[in-house]
Amino acid sequence: MVAGDIVLTGLMAVLLVGVAALLTRVENWRSYTPLAGGGAVTGDETTVINREKPAGIIRWLTTVDHKDIGLLYGLYAIIALAVGGIMAMLIRIQLVTPAGAILGNNAYNSILTSHGITMLFLFGTPIIAAFANYFIPLLIGADDMAFPRINAIAFWLLPPAALLIWAGFFLAPVTDNMIEPARTAWTMYTPLSVEQANPGVDLMLLGLHLSGVAATMGAINFIATIFTERNEEVNWANLDIFSWTILTQSALILFAFPLLGSAIVMLLLDRNLATTFFAVEGGGPLLWQHLFWFFGHPEVYILVLPPMGLVSLILPKFSGRKLFGFKFVVYSTLAIGVLSFGVWAHHMFSTGMDPRLRASFMAVSLAIAIPSAVKTFNWITTMWNGRLRLTTPMLFCIGFVSNFIIGGVTGVFLASIPVDLILHDTYYVVGHFHYIVMGAIGFAAFAGIYYWFPVFTGRMYQRTLGKAHFWFSMVGTNITFFAMLALGYLGMPRRYATYQFDGAIAPLTQVSTFHQAATVGAVILFIGQLFFVWNIVQSWLEGPKVEDGDPWNLERDGMLDREFQWFDEQLEADSPEKDPSLLADGGQEEQDDS
Amino acid sequence: MIEEPGLSDQYPTASPWPLFVALGLALSEIGVFVGLFPVAVFGLILFGGSIAGILTESGYVERPWPTLLGVGVVLIVIAAGFTLWQVPVADIALSNVGTGPLFTRLVAVAAAGAVMIAMGGVASVMEQTAA
Ligand code: HEM
Ligand SMILES: [Cu+2]
């Protein structure tokens, strides 16, 4: 123990000295003091600025530019998507046979837990932050975020968060399984999560906590930016729909994530310092469920509102019509934001809670379907009689609407108490939320990436590969998750590593057939994502340069938004002999007057 | 003393501090919650130092040292408060470091605070006398 402490002390000391040395190398902090030049951000004695950013890796480690940070978020989210996706494939392969094909029970539970947390916290929230960081300032005509440095801090909290959440996988082999991956499921229900002595659970909780801190800092930043940094032409009446959804989402984050953070700290204290927040003699195990879902349900809207905003922004562009009932789309966003805090106990219908309370939660849960449906009708009406152009982003938007309808309707079924008592903790629930998290949120993210690809890369993606990506994703998603809905009706419980229950719980033949169908769908989905990665990487490196500031031909319908106008200005300002890779930076402000 | 301009003087969209604020916070949390004494101390120092740095760089304060000193004081007050509230008086003894899980963690926080106060104090004095 003592030896370990000494080693750790040495390591930490080396780290700290290294940090200090690095800082003195790249930064002249004496120049901050009044002794050497004003203490402002740029001392006036500085040499002629000829570039906006330092070169190479230092640029990415030190950037506070919202566009760079957006790209960093995007890269981070795509890596998390790949990790979570591989975990999902392992789960699906395991379940091809009733006895389980490749994993032991412990490994299955670890991977299941990490898959959920990775996708929700390391892919979902960051991919939204990627779009918001890059495009909100452009859409509202701001120079940057209100607090650029806080923006960078929020991003840099995420890599340590990911390492902590996955820590058990790295540490189990080197610590002789003393530290293992958490097996709590993403909901971390007590008493299970208190009783698992494994320190990997603590590390995962700390990682989640950091990601929550990051999300909260980001939310404060977006609220401040949208309120204070709009240019004079942008007012509340003509604020674009994506900014509205980010504003609402940020408000939800502001109320929900600090609560998750506190609940996690309470859980950590219960685990390490013998407090009794969730013990039977203290707050009781149900307290965790209430706290978790008071965060957890708003979280699902935190994840879905901005994608709805993306679709509301992109879908009209390829329908040749303005968004139908814009005002009502905004109102329904706000309504969902408010209502989402009043439905959390629909995750707890089967816990034996007071039936009168239960009924009121059912009522609000059914009510929240109304604003969701308003949006759906508005998207459909926007397309109605429109001049549809089935580009890749448009295909993903249409796929979003279609999948969201199935996900939403199954949600309404689950919100009804008698139905939920039968379907709770079955694959039906898994099918429901995957229609939304994969079929809707994932699809909207792809739509956004393709739609803005010219802006952030200066190049065009390959259309055929894009369409292949869409169709594989659409077909794969629907096979996989429809099979899960059927599995739920058959009574297959969720979170099982094997299913050799011989008809006692569910009819085995049908269950294995649908599991196999789900796996086939997952393979199709996976292949689709290979097209995606290939397309993005190759097109970014050598795709045809975009020469026109209006690559989607939006001018003719008068729908060229501010971000494309900005892009056009960048193209104009960028003289041809310039290094084309600088284009994405937009760091050309000083050339404007030339 | 005016040599090379630093990174954030040269480039308006670059700052070396955010990365280290985040790293400092992450290490502090791990150190304090998992109960790794050295990680907690160094993490908190890194965190406090980066806060002092970033506030100075962005012009909210003129010099980093008083901020560092202030963060140190805040940490000591927090640690002392928790100790008085949660640790029985008889157990507050240096020989108990390493045994009581809560007490050890609080000592780590206080130690980090003390180091920051010392660093901030000494640097302030040196700066005054050098000027
Ligand atoms: C139309 C509105 C919706 C309604 C009425 C609804 C209703 C429900 C209900 C009642 C459950 C609990 C089922 C159970 O465990 O027995 C549930 C689970 C879930 N829903 Fe929804 N839902 C809706 C929309 C959404 C959206 C938009 C998302 C995601 C962005 C989502 C994500 C989830 C998740 C992740 C779970 C499972 C949580 C878990 O137990 O792990 N739902 N939904
Ligand atoms: Cu819910």
Side-chain angles (χ1 to χ4, degrees):
Chain A
M1 206 52 217
V2 179
D5 265 0
I6 292 175
V7 172
L8 259 185
T9 313
L11 266 178
M12 284 292 127
V14 170
L15 180 80
L16 205 61
V17 171
V19 168
L22 189 80
L23 277 171
T24 12
R25 262 203 63 194
V26 300
E27 182 76 344
N28 179 8
W29 60 44
R30 279 175 191 281
S31 67
Y32 301 158
T33 65
L35 301 174
V41 183
T42 38
D44 34 320
E45 88 282 6
T46 44
T47 42
V48 193
I49 301 176
N50 42 17
R51 291 187 55 185
E52 281 268 294
K53 293 162 187 175
I57 186 84
I58 294 286
R59 158 179 170 190
W60 295 102
L61 293 176
T62 62
T63 183
V64 295
D65 177 339
H66 69 99
K67 299 186 292 305
D68 285 353
I69 294 178
L71 290 175
L72 286 171
Y73 267 113
L75 177 69
Y76 179 93
I78 296 296
I79 292 173
L81 178 65
V83 173
I86 289 168
M87 289 171 173
M89 291 311 293
L90 293 176
I91 295 173
R92 277 325 319 163
I93 293 169
Q94 162 80 355
L95 296 173
V96 205
T97 64
I102 49 172
L103 303 167
N105 289 354
N106 279 347
Y108 179 87
N109 290 342
S110 308
I111 288 172
L112 181 87
T113 302
S114 281
H115 163 72
I117 292 189
T118 301
M119 288 303 201
L120 291 175
F121 295 95
L122 306 181
F123 164 67
T125 320
I127 193 76
I128 292 167
F131 288 120
N133 262 296
Y134 204 110
F135 291 104
I136 293 283
L138 300 183
L139 283 166
I140 66 174
D143 293 334
D144 203 317
M145 298 284 288
F147 309 113
R149 285 178 184 72
I150 291 189
N151 202 19
I153 297 176
F155 172 76
W156 287 112
L157 284 171
L158 287 178
L163 289 179
L164 285 168
I165 286 170
W166 300 329
F169 290 102
F170 310 129
L171 294 178
V174 296
T175 59
D176 230 1
N177 288 345
M178 237 193 37
I179 304 178
E180 296 186 287
R183 294 191 283 270
T184 55
W186 84 281
T187 50
M188 301 168 280
Y189 274 14
T190 53
L192 180 73
S193 54
V194 177
E195 283 161 7
Q196 286 188 2
N198 164 24
V201 178
D202 296 309
L203 297 179
M204 180 195 78
L205 290 170
L206 287 171
L208 270 182
H209 190 258
L210 287 178
S211 83
V213 173
T216 312
M217 292 173 95
I220 294 171
N221 215 342
F222 283 119
I223 294 175
T225 306
I226 295 175
F227 266 91
T228 63
E229 304 285 308
R230 283 172 287 137
N231 88 7
E232 333 53 88
E233 290 160 36
V234 183
N235 54 37
W236 292 115
N238 63 16
L239 185 65
D240 67 282
I241 188 69
F242 182 55
S243 300
W244 272 112
T245 56
I246 288 290
L247 187 62
T248 316
Q249 181 222 27
S250 299
L252 294 185
I253 289 182
L254 207 52
F255 287 105
F257 266 93
L259 189 115
L260 174 74
S262 320
I264 286 178
V265 170
M266 287 154 76
L267 189 56
L268 279 165
L269 293 177
D270 268 17
R271 288 175 54 83
N272 293 298
L273 293 173
T275 53
T276 56
F277 290 112
F278 305 115
V280 180
E281 66 276 21
L286 218 54
L287 176 62
W288 172 264
Q289 294 194 25
H290 277 296
L291 293 181
F292 181 82
W293 288 117
F294 187 83
F295 149 81
H297 189 86
E299 164 71 359
V300 307
Y301 282 99
I302 287 168
L303 288 172
V304 86
L305 283 177
M308 287 170 159
L310 283 178
V311 169
S312 306
L313 188 85
I314 299 171
L315 186 130
K317 304 289 190 301
F318 300 103
S319 305
R321 301 184 55 190
K322 295 236 144 61
L323 181 63
F324 182 87
F326 182 95
K327 257 194 200 163
F328 290 90
V329 179
V330 173
Y331 294 155
S332 65
T333 304
L334 299 175
I336 289 178
V338 174
L339 287 175
S340 67
F341 280 101
V343 301
W344 78 88
H346 66 209
H347 297 273
M348 304 163 59
F349 282 159
S350 59
T351 54
M353 58 188 293
D354 186 323
R356 286 161 299 179
L357 262 181
R358 205 163 64 170
S360 65
F361 277 103
M362 165 169 149
V364 185
S365 301
L366 294 175
I368 205 168
I370 297 171
S372 311
V374 167
K375 285 172 183 291
T376 310
F377 289 130
N378 279 295
W379 293 320
I380 296 174
T381 326
T382 305
M383 287 190 285
W384 194 268
N385 271 341
R387 199 184 64 251
L388 299 192
R389 290 183 287 157
L390 295 180
T391 59
T392 307
M394 181 62 166
L395 287 173
F396 274 106
C397 286
I398 298 173
F400 173 104
V401 176
S402 148
N403 293 334
F404 181 72
I405 291 174
I406 303 182
V409 169
T410 50
V412 177
F413 285 3
L414 287 172
S416 151
I417 297 167
V419 179
D420 184 67
L421 291 181
I422 294 179
L423 292 177
H424 175 64
D425 264 352
T426 69
Y427 263 73
Y428 190 86
V429 177
V430 184
H432 153 66
F433 69 74
H434 277 92
Y435 258 103
I436 300 194
V437 289
M438 176 64 226
I441 298 171
F443 275 42
F446 293 136
I449 291 174
Y450 286 113
Y451 178 61
W452 280 319
F453 194 80
V455 178
F456 62 82
T457 66
R459 294 173 187 263
M460 200 57 182
Y461 62 83
Q462 299 159 65
R463 284 157 226 261
T464 318
L465 283 177
K467 290 194 174 150
H469 176 211
F470 169 74
W471 284 110
F472 275 74
S473 301
M474 187 69 187
V475 172
T477 298
N478 277 280
I479 294 181
T480 305
F481 301 122
F482 202 84
M484 292 193 184
L485 295 179
L487 280 169
Y489 280 129
L490 289 170
M492 170 75 204
R494 65 192 281 207
R495 299 185 175 131
Y496 275 36
T498 58
Y499 49 97
Q500 297 160 296
F501 32 58
D502 250 353
I505 303 181
L508 189 57
T509 333
Q510 286 91 327
V511 165
S512 23
T513 311
F514 278 113
H515 267 305
Q516 284 153 9
T519 302
V520 170
V523 171
I524 297 175
L525 188 54
F526 190 77
I527 296 172
Q529 306 324 301
L530 297 180
F531 289 126
F532 169 65
V533 173
W534 175 256
N535 192 358
I536 295 304
V537 172
Q538 203 203 17
S539 309
W540 201 319
L541 296 177
E542 44 198 53
K545 294 245 181 58
V546 176
E547 250 120 54
D548 176 4
D550 181 13
W552 299 118
N553 206 1
L554 302 174
E555 188 77 79
R556 116 172 119 162
D557 299 311
M559 289 203 286
L560 196 66
D561 287 339
R562 209 167 261 100
E563 86 279 23
F564 276 104
Q565 291 167 14
W566 170 86
F567 176 57
D568 195 41
E569 286 160 22
Q570 297 309 303
L571 287 178
E572 308 262 294
D574 208 54
S575 44
E577 74 275 353
K578 275 265 152 46
D579 176 0
S581 71
L582 288 176
L583 187 67
D585 313 341
Q588 306 291 321
E589 263 91 271
E590 1 25 283
Q591 262 91 37
D592 273 358
D593 48 345
S594 63
Chain B
M1 261 312 217
I2 303 173
E3 328 99 5
E4 288 277 283
L7 181 85
S8 57
D9 289 332
Q10 245 175 318
Y11 307 109
T13 61
S15 162
W17 297 104
L19 175 63
F20 296 115
V21 176
L23 188 65
L25 180 60
L27 289 177
S28 319
E29 285 206 357
I30 299 172
V32 173
F33 277 103
V34 182
L36 302 170
F37 196 99
V39 181
V41 174
F42 283 103
L44 284 166
I45 295 174
L46 179 56
F47 184 55
S50 313
I51 291 193
I54 202 166
L55 288 182
T56 317
E57 182 217 358
S58 44
Y60 286 106
V61 293
E62 287 198 340
R63 286 158 47 246
W65 311 118
T67 315
L68 191 61
L69 208 149
V71 177
V73 171
V74 169
L75 288 184
I76 291 211
V77 168
I78 291 176
F82 265 97
T83 311
L84 292 178
W85 177 36
Q86 286 291 331
V87 183
V89 183
D91 290 351
I92 306 180
L94 219 51
S95 56
N96 268 341
V97 175
T99 50
L102 178 62
F103 186 59
T104 312
R105 289 169 160 91
L106 292 172
V107 171
V109 175
V115 174
M116 280 184 237
I117 292 177
M119 282 165 59
V122 171
S124 284
V125 172
M126 276 170 57
E127 210 173 64
Q128 304 288 333
T129 44

